Amino acid sequence: MSQSSKVYRLDKFIVPATARDQFLAKILSTHAILRQQPGFIQDAVLEQTSGPGKFNIVTMVEWQSQDAIDAAKIIVQELHAKTDFSPQQTMQRLGIQADIANYSLVS
């Protein structure tokens, strides 16, 4: 596996204090599923402790490839459908803003 094929999924969130516990619980349960998927390398769930940045929760998952991300996304979507969970509706209801993207190593 070459370094250039690895993909890093970074999700940055602005989470109101009133939504923190509920939101983190869902993130942690989702990451437990992601860790079991083929192509998963490592992850981190981070909470801002200082600084002027507006994103107070950030998650990172390192994957072997885009194909691994695509396969994991299907698994998570199927689980959400089975449990009648909508991430978009939940974030809207809780007042959470998100910036979600895939990244690759520059060097």
Side-chain angles (χ1 to χ4, degrees), residues 51-67:
K54 63 181 180 176
F55 297 104
N56 55 335
I57 303 288
V58 177
T59 66
M60 183 282 301
V61 180
E62 181 180 358
W63 295 94
Q64 288 178 347
S65 66
Q66 183 61 48
D67 288 343

Side-chain angles (χ1 to χ4, degrees), residues 6-107:
K6 289 183 181 177
V7 180
Y8 299 81
R9 168 73 180 249
L10 293 170
D11 297 354
K12 300 173 282 191
F13 302 98
I14 300 171
V15 181
T18 56
R20 178 194 178 274
D21 292 345
Q22 182 179 353
F23 186 68
L24 279 176
K26 196 62 179 173
I27 284 177
L28 294 173
S29 68
T30 299
H31 276 245
I33 294 163
L34 296 177
R35 290 182 192 113
Q36 299 171 18
Q37 302 311 306
F40 170 89
I41 297 173
Q42 66 175 330
D43 70 334
V45 177
L46 308 167
E47 185 169 24
Q48 182 182 20
T49 58
S50 67
K54 63 181 180 176
F55 297 104
N56 55 335
I57 303 288
V58 177
T59 66
M60 183 282 301
V61 180
E62 181 180 358
W63 295 94
Q64 288 178 347
S65 66
Q66 183 61 48
D67 288 343
I69 291 175
D70 295 342
K73 183 177 180 179
I74 291 169
I75 298 297
V76 171
Q77 287 174 335
E78 288 173 352
L79 177 64
H80 289 169
K82 281 183 187 177
T83 60
D84 198 28
F85 174 74
S86 168
Q88 295 80 12
Q89 288 177 356
T90 300
M91 288 193 304
Q92 184 177 9
R93 179 176 51 80
L94 296 175
I96 296 168
Q97 297 176 43
D99 178 28
I100 297 171
N102 293 342
Y103 295 81
S104 61
L105 285 176
V106 174
S107 63

